[in-house]
Amino acid sequence: MQLFYHPLYSALTLPERHRFPIQKYQKLKAEIEGLGLTPNNFTSPIKATPAQLSLCHNQTYINNFLNGTLSNKAIKKMGFPYSNELVERTLLSVGASIQSSEHALKHGFSANLSGGYHHAYSDYSSGFCIFNDLAIAAAHLINTEQADTVLIFDCDVHQGDGTAQITQNHDQIITCSIHCEQNFPRNKQQSTYDFALPAKTTDAEYLTTLKQALDFCVRIHNPDIILYNAGADIYEKDELGLLNVSLNGVYKRDFFVLNFCKQQKIPLMCSLGGGYQRNLTSLVNVHKQLFKAAIDL
């Protein structure tokens, strides 16, 4: 199992009581090591290039972010204070998703201990998402002729609105979003397939929808690889979630996706996606279900 990680994932300095749980990445790595993984299971990513970013993003927006010339309004919408370490962290996270996708294509499975930045639009950032790593990874695989059809399977509790907007004219990238209808963003975009679940949805309904959605997408589109946004914010105790999926339900979701891809011999790349709890130990435990499922396969 190859996992892409960099210490800068958690090295970002944020204001006290900032909503984003930046320390979760290093704590998750430590927890995963406790499951029996060794340093050989972890790969340090290289930064995404401006050319790779431009596969999905407006050049002026890219330049403004890299050069530190974003407007105050754009920075506020981004959700993070601007800094050089934010630029480095962002490029490493996107690079990791690209490299993790390439690794999954060759070896069947890989994960980025970051990523899932699905609220990033082609020309602006939103909701803690600056560049849309999974859309970029998908476009990169297609652009380099490593894949013909890529499925972005988004199970974060929030709709993958930026992903839908970026890929709307890209027929080779299929987007499927399973999200809470009442949750952010208020104005939804149109994915290839959207499965909007009502608030307080529980395990049984969620898992039924998940299985039907994934089976349908694979039967119709026969993707060469699936990029999976394994958001931890479907969990019932998530502070921004609104769904009532149990911890065991999160595990069953992740195990189903991983096992389905293994049985169908479809390469799978996973990204962490969202998760919002002030209790970091609890939050990390939700994210850890993905890696427990991978080990249990």
Side-chain angles (χ1 to χ4, degrees):
M1 186 193 313
Q2 210 59 39
L3 310 177
F4 287 76
Y5 172 82
H6 196 282
L8 268 184
Y9 286 178
S10 280
L12 196 60
T13 303
L14 296 177
E16 192 175 350
R17 300 292 294 171
H18 192 277
R19 180 67 265 187
F20 194 82
I22 197 71
Q23 294 303 317
K24 73 178 183 180
Y25 303 102
Q26 66 179 29
K27 290 182 181 296
L28 178 63
K29 181 176 184 283
E31 284 289 319
I32 294 170
E33 289 170 337
L35 295 174
L37 300 188
T38 70
N40 291 335
N41 292 111
F42 295 92
T43 298
S44 186
I46 58 175
K47 293 187 288 188
T49 66
Q52 289 171 330
L53 301 178
S54 70
L55 292 170
C56 292
H57 292 281
N58 172 281
Q59 194 63 54
T60 300
Y61 168 55
I62 295 170
N63 293 343
N64 284 342
F65 178 75
L66 297 181
N67 299 332
T69 52
L70 289 172
S71 68
N72 289 335
K73 182 180 178 182
I75 292 172
K76 184 176 181 181
K77 194 168 182 63
M78 180 168 67
F80 291 125
Y82 186 84
S83 65
N84 289 331
E85 61 187 358
L86 177 64
V87 174
E88 292 291 298
R89 179 190 183 278
T90 299
L91 295 179
L92 285 166
S93 291
V94 176
S97 287
I98 295 169
Q99 293 141 45
S100 184
S101 298
E102 292 183 322
H103 187 276
L105 263 182
K106 293 173 184 167
H107 303 284
F109 177 82
S110 184
N112 178 11
L113 265 66
S114 179
Y117 299 125
H118 62 167
H119 298 311
Y121 281 67
S122 58
D123 56 351
Y124 65 90
S125 43
S126 173
F128 309 130
C129 301
I130 298 162
F131 296 124
N132 198 307
D133 60 301
L134 295 187
I136 293 167
H140 170 78
L141 294 180
I142 292 164
N143 190 55
T144 53
E145 299 183 347
Q146 296 181 68
D148 289 322
T149 304
V150 178
L151 170 62
I152 299 178
F153 193 63
D154 192 336
C155 293
D156 191 279
V157 79
H158 306 104
Q159 194 212 25
D161 56 333
T163 309
Q165 180 264 334
I166 285 172
T167 62
Q168 59 190 348
N169 296 317
H170 207 311
D171 294 341
Q172 292 168 273
I173 302 175
I174 311 304
T175 57
C176 178
S177 180
I178 304 174
H179 54 268
C180 177
E181 173 66 35
Q182 289 85 355
N183 217 316
F184 177 90
R186 181 181 301 167
N187 297 319
K188 308 290 193 284
Q189 300 295 315
Q190 187 171 348
S191 311
T192 313
Y193 305 104
D194 285 298
F195 295 86
L197 297 169
K200 303 191 185 308
T201 292
T202 55
D203 291 16
E205 184 183 355
Y206 186 92
L207 293 168
T208 297
T209 302
L210 172 88
K211 293 171 183 178
Q212 291 175 345
L214 185 56
D215 182 68
F216 176 82
C217 288
V218 168
R219 278 192 295 111
I220 297 297
H221 298 284
N222 191 27
D224 298 305
I225 185 172
I226 295 174
L227 310 184
Y228 173 43
N229 186 352
D233 43 14
I234 67 165
Y235 178 51
E236 60 192 349
K237 294 181 182 175
D238 194 272
E239 290 151 24
L240 301 181
L242 302 183
L243 297 185
N244 283 355
V245 177
S246 69
L247 189 65
N248 184 242
V250 175
Y251 173 85
K252 286 181 176 179
R253 176 198 69 174
D254 292 338
F255 186 87
F256 176 82
V257 173
L258 271 61
N259 188 53
F260 180 93
C261 291
K262 184 178 182 180
Q263 297 300 322
Q264 299 287 330
K265 295 182 170 56
I266 303 170
L268 176 68
M269 177 267 173
C270 305
S271 65
L272 283 195
Y276 302 92
Q277 296 180 63
R278 296 287 184 195
N279 184 332
L280 267 187
T281 302
S282 176
L283 171 59
V284 165
N285 194 35
V286 184
H287 280 299
K288 191 168 76 169
Q289 302 309 305
L290 173 68
F291 304 96
K292 289 177 68 175
I295 288 170
D296 288 348
L297 273 182

